[in-house]
Amino acid sequence: MNKKDVSIRLVSRQSDGESNEETEIFSMGTLEKTNQGYRISYAESEATGFEGSTTALETFGNSKVTMERSGAVSSNLIIEKNTKHHCVYGTPYGSFTVGVNAKDISSDLDDNGGRLDFHYVIDVNSSYLGDFEISVEVR
C-alpha cells in the first residue's frame, strides 16, 4: 500500500486532576502501511496551537504508538505499554523532557482506515502533569 489520502478526525482529552480540556480537529492527511503497523500524518492547525507543524502517529500493533511532531514545534513521544519513556516535548514556549507512561493502546487500523485510541500519563521530574487521551478516526 502506498500513501493514501485520508480524512482524519482527532479528539484529544486532557486532564490535570482538576480541570478537563477537549479539542476536536478535522484534517486531511495520509495513511500508509509500515512494517509494524500504520503511519498517519497530518498538518497541525491554529486550533491545536501547533500551526506550521506536521504530526505523524505510527502504530506498532496494540503495544506502542510514536507521536512525532516536526516543523515550527518538534516533539517525539513514545507511548508504550509497560514501559516508561523519557521524551522531548516541544511547545511554542520551548522544549522540555517528560516521562510518558501508556495506560491503554487500541488500534483497528487497516488499509482502508479505522480507529486508533491511546491514553497516557505525562510527568515532569516525576511530578504528575496530566492524563491524555487521543482518539483518531481515519477514513
Side-chain angles (χ1 to χ4, degrees):
M1 173 184 154
N2 293 328
K3 275 189 187 179
K4 178 179 179 177
D5 289 334
V6 292
S7 122
I8 297 167
R9 175 180 176 255
L10 186 141
V11 178
S12 168
R13 292 177 196 84
Q14 57 190 76
S15 168
D16 62 9
E18 293 177 15
S19 62
N20 298 312
E21 188 179 313
E22 181 172 304
T23 308
E24 181 176 21
I25 62 165
F26 293 91
S27 182
M28 295 305 292
T30 59
L31 174 70
E32 66 182 306
K33 192 172 179 61
T34 64
N35 291 335
Q36 295 87 9
Y38 288 88
R39 183 178 173 91
I40 303 163
S41 295
Y42 61 93
E44 292 284 357
S45 68
E46 193 179 333
T48 61
F50 296 105
E51 189 174 18
S53 298
T54 299
T55 296
L57 300 169
E58 191 164 338
T59 64
F60 298 80
N62 285 313
S63 63
K64 181 170 138 184
V65 175
T66 61
M67 183 171 18
E68 187 179 335
R69 187 172 287 135
S70 57
V73 175
S74 55
S75 300
N76 193 3
L77 299 185
I78 302 166
I79 300 108
E80 185 173 13
K81 286 183 180 172
N82 305 317
T83 306
K84 181 175 183 175
H85 288 277
H86 291 90
C87 307
V88 174
Y89 188 78
T91 72
Y93 312 103
S95 297
F96 49 97
T97 301
V98 296
V100 181
N101 266 320
K103 280 191 156 179
D104 191 39
I105 298 171
S106 168
S107 172
D108 69 2
L109 290 171
D110 62 25
D111 291 356
N112 298 311
R115 190 176 173 110
L116 167 65
D117 295 287
F118 55 104
H119 180 184
Y120 58 100
V121 176
I122 289 185
D123 66 66
V124 176
N125 296 331
S126 297
S127 295
Y128 174 79
L129 185 68
D131 271 79
F132 298 80
E133 288 181 66
I134 311 282
S135 294
V136 186
E137 283 178 37
V138 179
R139 292 184 207 175

